[in-house]
């Protein structure tokens, strides 16, 4: 059955080969020639030639009752991840979140008792504090900091917060240890954090943790807005579900990045 293309430059043979590779589904690691032909809509002789070609290239192997994919197929997807840095992987998700919320969104990581911004997509709004890649704020009064501090073991939390901030900023919120621990327990229980003008006047934000493939919190992602424009209620009712969805998608991509094989070559 001929495959429909989009123009004179469309290579039908390549498209058919990709159709055969994607015909292998979860729960069906081995497929007979007849099953491949049926799944792709190809004639059996065509499906057979494609399978034999893919076998010669190392992407499929002959199995007991048909054909199965080889680990070399991973190279096709891993090439994308290898070509991009960690934060470039996250950036399209941030851009989509900004488009859906109309607010600036950022990713930051802990550095001592501070957070440092490592990725950001902003909208042109006047805010109290300017933020760019590399900007440093005290972690505790920020939503991005709270979601990461809440994930730390108690001993490590104390060690981290004992380090002096290098941000040069004195936050509005100065909690004692009991209040701090109560806030972090709440963040840990619900899985997200809110900051309402605790860092500086007019700054209101929510954040969710980002995790690697082992489930460890490695960063935070937030939606930031001006307190005079966006109420806490709207932030939680409208932006929070979008933020949590985005955090899950970015974490899933980070987990995939963790699966990329790393080869160490010793210097000659």
């Amino acid at each position: 059955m001929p495959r429909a293309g989009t123009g004179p430059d469309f290579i039908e043979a390549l498209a058919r080969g990709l159709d055969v590779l994607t015909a292998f589904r979860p729960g069906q690691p081995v497929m007979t020639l007849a099953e491949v032909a049926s799944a792709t809509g190809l004639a059996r002789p065509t499906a057979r030639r494609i399978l034999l070609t893919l076998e010669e290239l190392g992407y499929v192997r002959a199995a007991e009752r048909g054909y199965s994919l080889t680990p070399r197929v991973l190279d096709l997807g891993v090439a994308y991840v290898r070509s991009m840095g960690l934060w470039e992987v996250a950036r399209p998700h941030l851009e989509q979140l900004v488009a859906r919320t109309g607010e600036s969104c950022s990713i930051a990581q802990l550095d001592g008792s501070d957070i440092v911004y490592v990725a950001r997509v902003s909208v042109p709004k006047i805010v109290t504090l300017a933020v760019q890649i590399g900007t440093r704020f005290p972690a505790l009064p920020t939503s991005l900091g709270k979601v990461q501090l809440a994930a730390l073991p108690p001993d490590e939390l104390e060690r981290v917060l004992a380090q002096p901030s290098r941000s040069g900023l004195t936050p509005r919120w100065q909690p004692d240890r009991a209040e701090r621990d109560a806030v972090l327990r709440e963040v840990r229980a619900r899985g997200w954090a809110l900051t309402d003008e605790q860092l500086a006047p007019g700054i209101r934000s929510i954040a969710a943790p980002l995790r690697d493939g082992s489930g460890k919190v490695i960063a935070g992602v937030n939606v930031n807005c001006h307190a005079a424009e966006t109420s806490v209620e709207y932030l939680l009712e409208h932006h929070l579900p979008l933020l949590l969805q985005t955090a899950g998608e970015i974490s899933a991509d980070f987990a995939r990045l963790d699966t990329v094989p790393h080869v160490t070559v010793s210097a000659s």
Side-chain angles (χ1 to χ4, degrees), residues 154-155 157-158 174-185:
D155 291 347
L157 175 66
E158 297 303 329
Q174 300 282 346
D176 58 24
R177 180 168 179 172
E179 183 183 2
R180 178 203 75 187
D181 290 347
V183 168
L184 294 181
R185 277 197 303 271

Side-chain angles (χ1 to χ4, degrees), residues 246-265:
T246 299
E249 292 169 349
I250 295 174
S251 295
D253 279 355
F254 285 177
R256 294 186 190 101
L257 190 64
D258 281 347
T259 67
V260 176
H262 298 281
V263 178
T264 301
V265 180

Side-chain angles (χ1 to χ4, degrees), residues 126-129 169-173 195-204 224-228:
I126 298 176
V127 294
T128 309
L129 298 172
L169 179 70
T170 301
R172 301 178 78 197
W173 186 51
T195 288
D196 189 8
E197 301 187 272
Q198 293 176 327
L199 178 65
I203 295 180
R204 181 173 286 160
N224 184 80
C225 61
H226 198 290

Side-chain angles (χ1 to χ4, degrees), residues 210-251:
L210 297 178
R211 302 175 185 274
D212 63 12
S214 68
K216 179 183 178 182
V217 174
I218 58 171
V221 56
N222 82 342
V223 176
N224 184 80
C225 61
H226 198 290
E229 296 179 350
T230 306
S231 67
V232 171
E233 291 74 21
Y234 188 78
L235 193 62
L236 299 182
E237 292 174 7
H238 182 267
H239 294 349
L240 179 58
L242 300 175
L243 172 69
L244 294 176
Q245 178 185 350
T246 299
E249 292 169 349
I250 295 174
S251 295

Side-chain angles (χ1 to χ4, degrees), residues 22 29 56 60 62 74 97 116 128 132 149-150 188-189 201 217 232 259:
T22 56
E56 186 171 336
V60 303
L74 290 172
L97 184 58
V116 177
T128 309
Q132 58 187 357
L149 293 172
R188 195 177 304 115
V217 174
V232 171
T259 67

